[in-house]
Every structure is written in C-alpha cells, then in structure tokens.
Amino acid sequence: MQKVEIRYLKAADKQFWFCLDKHLPEKEFENKLHTKRAYVLLLSDKPIGLLRYNLFWDNTPFCTMLIIDEEYRGKGYGKQLMTYWEKDMKEQGYGMLLTSTQVDERSSAFLSKAGL
C-alpha cells in the first residue's frame, strides 16, 4: 500500500508546484511558503497534489486552489487533502471555511460528492 503524506509547502516543492498551479505568481509562492498557507500531498514521497488558501475578510480561510495530478484524480486524494485542511483550520481556531468553483468545472462535482 502506498503511503499518503500531507504537509506544508516547502521551498523544494517549487518546480512541482508550478507544474500543477499555473495561476500563482512566483512572489505569492514565497508568501504561501512563509505563511504556511499551502499544502502538498505526497504519495510514497512523490508529490501529486496541492492546496492553497487565503484569508477571506482577513478572518475566514478560503481555498483558492486544490488540484491533484491528472493521473491520480478520482482516487480520493482530493478529499483527503480537503479533509486535512479542514482539520488543520479547525485546530487553528477557525469555525468556517469557504470554497468556490465555476458551476461547469469538474471541481464543482468533486465538492458536491465530498459533501461540501
């Protein structure tokens, strides 16, 4: 069985990160790194997914990107990453989280299936 690990973003993740996330400016990558507002999901030590967030209204965690490498989609890794983020935010004292998708995106169906 392959081991799943979820951890905060590290500087060494930069090349992987930008393979999946084409929207994040490089300067904001550094910000996510230092503020610990990004996670990487690894499968047997290989990075396969990521999640990043901001604070909406400066007080509510808002997921701005959750993406799993195409080869690994549909296997529950996105749900594991979202569940990990939810737990971490709860432990940090946040009582509410926000997410958003376009209605025609595949991620909209993912969030519905995950009960979000």
Side-chain angles (χ1 to χ4, degrees), residues 53-112:
Y53 73 95
N54 289 325
L55 290 180
F56 196 68
W57 301 310
D58 297 321
N59 65 10
T60 303
F62 177 68
C63 180
T64 57
M65 176 70 69
L66 186 154
I67 188 165
I68 303 296
D69 190 334
E70 196 166 344
E71 178 181 345
Y72 299 94
R73 292 179 191 165
K75 298 177 180 169
Y77 299 118
K79 184 173 183 175
Q80 287 181 49
L81 190 49
M82 182 65 76
T83 300
Y84 185 91
W85 176 60
E86 289 174 338
K87 182 177 179 270
D88 192 27
M89 295 300 96
K90 187 173 186 176
E91 288 172 358
Q92 291 185 41
Y94 296 104
M96 180 173 65
L97 305 174
L98 297 174
T99 61
S100 177
T101 67
Q102 290 180 199
V103 73
D104 61 342
E105 284 185 329
R106 184 175 179 197
S107 55
S108 181
F110 160 77
L111 290 172
S112 293

